[in-house]
Amino acid sequence: MTGRGKKAAAAPRKKANGYKMPAPIRNGEVINDIMMKKKWRIGPSIGVGGFGEIYSACDHESSPKQGSGYPFVIKIEPHENGPLFVEKHFYIRNANKDDIAKYIKEKKLSSLGMPTYFGNGSHEYNGEKYRYLVLERYGKDLWSLFKDCGRIFPTTTVFQLGLQMIDVLEYIHSRGYVHADIKGANILLGLKKGTENQAYLVDFGLATRVTDKEFKPDPKCAHNGTIEYTSRDAHLGVATMRGDLEILGYNMLQWLVGELPWEKNLKQPKAVQDMKEAFMKNVRSNITKQYSHVPDALIKFFEYINSMKPKDVPDYTKCRTLFENYLKTEGKTRNSKLEFKAGKKGKVKASADTKVTEDTQDSTVHSKKMAQNGVPKARRGRKPVLKDQPIDSDNCENETPENSIQETKGNKRKSSEPSLVIKIKKTKLTPKATPPVKKKYANTATQTSLEKIRRSPRKVSFDSPICEIIGEKKPPKRTKDTSQESVNSSGDIFEDSFVIEEKKVKPKRKLLAAEEVTVKRVVKKKLTTKPKTKSWKDLPTVVNGRSPPKTV
C-alpha cells in the first residue's frame, strides 16, 4: 500500500455530486472473481469518473506478471454509490458476448460498437468494500480527438460515426433500454487490431428501461444527462428512443460546426431547454442561416425526429439511408477509414461589413510591418513590395500612403467621402544673432567643458559679485590688472542695481590657552516653618499597637 492510498483511506474523497470516491488501489492488487472463476490483476489507473475510478487490468493467471499489456479495464466504486450498480445490471443483461455475436450475424454487420462484459463482483481493500465491473479496454475517446483536431471533424467522418451509433442504439432499444447520455467522451475507438475504425458507445450509468406508461413529465428527473446534448424529452424528465436520436443529432452538429448555439448558457438548464425548443421548431431555417456547410442529410434527420411521437420506435433503416446516401456522394462508405484531420471550422456567413473589417485589419497589419525606408519586411514566398511599384487602386483606401502628397493626388480614392489635399507652407525662421558680451563678463553659455570652472557643491553662483563667495573664504583682492581678477568678479547685467562696498572685518579673537571658568548658580532654599498650634495631625499615630519613638 502506497502513502497515497493511506492518505485517501483516512479521508475519503468526495465529488461535487456527493458520491464518495474510492481510495487509490495499489498497482498489482489481485481481485478474485468468484462468479466467473477468474482472478484479475489491477494495473495503472486510466482515469476518474463522476462516481468511481477506472483501472487497467489483465488476467492474473494467463498474463505475465511483469507484462505491460492490459487488455481489460476495471471500474471501481464504493458500495455506497449507485451508478455502477445500475450499469452493472445493464451489462449483465445486455452485453453478453454471445448475444452481441448473434445480433451481428442477424443484421449482417461486420462489427458493432457495443462493449463486451467480462465480470463483476465485490472486493474488499484496506477495510473498505468496493463494487467492480470488468470490461474490454478501448482506445482514445472522440472528445479528446475533437479537441486535438481544432474542434472540427471531416464531414464524412461525422456521418460514418453517426451510422455506427445508429447501429448501437438499435441494439440497445431492441433490448428495451435507452442510453440517454451519448457524447464524445462516452464514444471510444477500438484498440485491438482490426477495430481501429469502429467506435464503441460506453458508460451506461444513465441507461433507463423503456416503459409503456403514458408520456408524462417528471420534474425529479428533469435535465438529466449532459446539458449541452440533453434531448427535449429528457429536459422534461422522460428518457425516450427519439430522445437518443436527438442527442446523437446534437453531437453530429457540434462535430461539424465546432460549437452548439446554446453552449454559452449551460449553467441555466431552463434557458438551454428554451433555446433547443426554438431551434428545433424551425430547424431548417435555423441551420441554413447560422451555418453554410451543414449537409442536407443532417437537416432531414432532425426533421424526421420532429415528426416522431414520444412512444414511437425509430425507423433506423430510414436514418441509415440518409447518411449512406450522403457518403456515396462523397465517394465514401460506412466501412471507409475514419479520418480525424483538422478541417476548416464552420463559420456564420459573413456580411459585407464583416468583410470590410477583415480587409481593414489585414491592411493595418501590413502597414505595421513597413520599415522606415518604405520597404516592407520580406516574407517567405513573397517578394517585398518596393516603393516605386504602382499601388493597387482597389486596396489603396485601407493602406498607408507611401508616396508624396502630389503623387496621391493623381490616384483616385474609391470612397464615398471626398478626398481633401491640404498644403502646409513651412516658413523658415532666421536665427537671431547672439548679443555681444559685455566688458569684463565671461559668457558661460559659449564656454567649453574645459573652460568652465568646476565649483564646489557648497558654492552657489549666479555670476554676480554679491553671491560669488559663500563660506569662510576671503574674497580675492582687487588689483589693477583686470586679467588676474576672478571670472565672476566683473559686473553683470544687474550691476546698476547694486552698490559694492568693501569693509574690513577683524578676525575673532582666539584663546591661546585653556582657561577654567567657574559658573555660579543660584539655588532656591526650601524653608520650613513650625505651626504655632498643635492639631490632631501632629499627634503620634499608632501603628501596630505602638507609637512611633519621640524625636529629640
Side-chain angles (χ1 to χ4, degrees):
M1 181 70 186
T2 59
R4 177 174 168 243
K6 290 180 182 178
K7 186 177 179 182
R13 298 171 294 172
K14 283 193 176 182
K15 281 278 186 180
N17 54 18
Y19 292 127
K20 182 181 176 182
M21 298 305 295
I25 298 177
R26 65 180 179 86
N27 194 347
E29 177 74 10
V30 179
I31 296 177
N32 188 12
D33 191 345
I34 300 173
M35 294 181 66
M36 294 294 179
K37 297 180 181 181
K38 281 188 177 182
K39 290 184 179 181
W40 308 101
R41 188 168 72 249
I42 291 180
S45 174
I46 295 175
V48 179
F51 56 87
E53 194 157 359
I54 304 171
Y55 292 88
S56 58
C58 63
D59 191 340
H60 178 60
E61 295 176 354
S62 61
S63 300
K65 293 186 177 181
Q66 301 298 329
S68 59
Y70 294 93
F72 304 98
V73 295
I74 295 182
K75 300 181 76 171
I76 294 178
E77 73 166 11
H79 261 263
E80 303 171 16
N81 297 355
L84 191 58
F85 179 81
V86 176
E87 189 173 13
K88 179 186 75 171
H89 283 281
F90 173 84
Y91 277 112
I92 293 172
R93 294 171 184 171
N94 306 295
N96 188 282
K97 189 176 182 180
D98 296 334
D99 292 341
I100 295 173
K102 184 180 178 181
Y103 182 84
I104 292 174
K105 188 176 180 180
E106 288 178 358
K107 294 292 181 178
K108 298 179 180 179
L109 301 172
S110 58
S111 61
L112 181 66
M114 182 68 195
T116 308
Y117 154 80
F118 286 92
N120 78 94
S122 297
H123 179 70
E124 188 171 342
Y125 178 75
N126 201 26
E128 187 83 16
K129 196 174 182 181
Y130 297 105
R131 184 184 292 113
Y132 70 87
L133 178 66
V134 185
L135 301 170
E136 186 180 347
R137 186 177 181 180
Y138 299 106
K140 204 168 186 179
D141 62 278
L142 291 186
W143 180 250
S144 300
L145 289 170
F146 183 62
K147 292 188 291 185
D148 293 343
C149 294
R151 294 182 67 92
I152 206 74
F153 280 162
T155 311
T156 54
T157 302
V158 172
F159 282 91
Q160 285 177 262
L161 293 171
L163 279 170
Q164 294 182 12
M165 290 301 104
I166 287 175
D167 291 340
V168 182
L169 291 177
E170 185 178 7
Y171 174 79
I172 297 169
H173 294 170
S174 67
R175 310 287 294 191
Y177 283 85
V178 293
H179 189 278
D181 196 21
I182 305 163
K183 57 183 178 181
N186 291 339
I187 302 175
L188 310 177
L189 295 180
L191 192 62
K192 290 182 179 179
K193 188 176 181 181
T195 63
E196 299 89 349
N197 296 315
Q198 177 63 52
Y200 292 84
L201 182 61
V202 300
D203 199 345
F204 291 84
L206 293 179
T208 309
R209 286 194 71 92
V210 180
T211 62
D212 296 332
K213 294 180 180 179
E214 184 183 357
F215 183 86
K216 186 179 179 180
D218 185 4
K220 293 181 180 179
C221 300
H223 314 296
N224 268 3
T226 306
I227 191 66
E228 53 261 55
Y229 314 112
T230 304
S231 66
R232 291 168 294 170
D233 292 340
H235 276 293
L236 297 174
V238 184
T240 60
M241 294 182 184
R242 72 171 184 178
D244 273 354
L245 295 184
E246 186 176 332
I247 295 171
L248 175 61
Y250 292 149
N251 278 274
M252 293 177 67
L253 182 63
Q254 186 189 49
W255 296 338
L256 285 172
V257 301
E259 186 180 16
L260 294 171
W262 45 82
E263 285 192 37
K264 295 179 181 178
N265 302 78
L266 298 181
K267 294 183 179 179
Q268 302 172 357
K270 189 64 176 66
V272 174
Q273 180 185 358
D274 295 340
M275 292 180 72
K276 287 177 182 176
E277 292 284 355
F279 178 81
M280 294 295 288
K281 190 174 183 180
N282 197 352
V283 64
R284 179 171 289 275
S285 63
N286 287 329
I287 290 180
T288 53
K289 282 180 182 178
Q290 297 183 49
Y291 314 107
S292 59
H293 67 289
V294 175
D296 192 61
L298 185 59
I299 299 174
K300 289 181 178 179
F301 180 67
F302 278 119
E303 289 176 341
Y304 168 69
I305 295 169
N306 283 335
S307 67
M308 293 177 63
K309 294 180 181 179
K311 294 294 179 179
D312 285 352
V313 178
D315 188 349
Y316 305 101
T317 304
K318 182 176 182 178
C319 297
R320 275 192 287 263
T321 304
L322 286 173
F323 295 170
E324 286 174 350
N325 289 341
Y326 173 75
L327 290 174
K328 284 181 182 179
T329 59
E330 299 295 322
K332 298 278 186 177
T333 63
R334 60 178 301 151
N335 297 323
S336 299
K337 184 180 178 181
L338 293 176
E339 297 178 356
F340 298 97
K341 296 180 181 179
K344 293 182 179 179
K345 196 171 183 179
K347 296 181 180 178
V348 182
K349 289 183 178 180
S351 60
D353 297 337
T354 309
K355 191 174 182 181
V356 171
T357 307
E358 291 174 357
D359 294 342
T360 308
Q361 291 176 354
D362 293 341
S363 63
T364 307
V365 174
H366 174 69
S367 61
K368 285 182 179 179
K369 289 183 179 179
M370 297 293 293
Q372 294 180 357
N373 57 358
V375 180
K377 294 181 181 179
R379 288 180 289 179
R380 189 178 295 175
R382 294 185 182 181
K383 294 181 179 180
V385 181
L386 299 178
K387 196 172 180 180
D388 299 335
Q389 292 182 355
I391 301 173
D392 188 4
S393 60
D394 295 335
N395 298 326
C396 64
E397 181 180 351
N398 295 322
E399 292 182 356
T400 306
E402 300 175 356
N403 299 334
S404 61
I405 298 174
Q406 294 180 358
E407 290 177 349
T408 56
K409 186 177 178 181
N411 297 333
K412 294 181 180 180
R413 293 176 77 250
K414 292 187 177 182
S415 176
S416 57
E417 299 179 0
S419 59
L420 298 176
V421 180
I422 301 172
K423 292 184 179 180
I424 301 173
K425 188 176 181 181
K426 295 182 180 180
T427 56
K428 293 184 180 181
L429 299 176
T430 55
K432 293 183 179 180
T434 307
V437 182
K438 291 187 177 183
K439 192 176 182 182
K440 300 180 183 180
Y441 177 78
N443 190 356
T444 57
T446 58
Q447 288 179 351
T448 61
S449 59
L450 298 174
E451 294 174 351
K452 290 183 180 180
I453 300 173
R454 295 182 181 178
R455 300 184 181 85
S456 172
R458 293 183 60 196
K459 295 180 181 181
V460 180
S461 174
F462 297 95
D463 295 339
S464 173
I466 294 175
C467 45
E468 180 184 0
I469 299 173
I470 296 175
E472 297 179 356
K473 274 192 175 183
K474 295 181 181 180
K477 295 181 180 180
R478 299 180 67 87
T479 58
K480 291 182 181 181
D481 188 6
T482 57
S483 62
Q484 297 179 0
E485 291 184 5
S486 173
V487 176
N488 294 326
S489 63
S490 62
D492 64 350
I493 55 175
F494 301 105
E495 64 182 358
D496 298 334
S497 305
F498 303 99
V499 177
I500 300 173
E501 294 182 358
E502 292 183 359
K503 289 184 179 181
K504 294 182 179 180
V505 181
K506 293 182 179 181
K508 293 182 180 180
R509 295 178 63 185
K510 295 182 181 179
L511 296 175
L512 299 176
E515 294 181 3
E516 292 183 0
V517 180
T518 305
V519 180
K520 293 182 180 181
R521 285 196 238 171
V522 179
V523 181
K524 291 184 181 180
K525 188 177 181 182
K526 188 175 180 181
L527 300 175
T528 56
T529 56
K530 292 183 179 181
K532 294 180 181 180
T533 58
K534 293 183 178 181
S535 66
W536 63 272
K537 296 180 180 179
D538 301 325
L539 296 176
T541 57
V542 178
V543 181
N544 296 331
R546 294 183 180 183
S547 298
K550 293 181 180 180
T551 57
V552 180

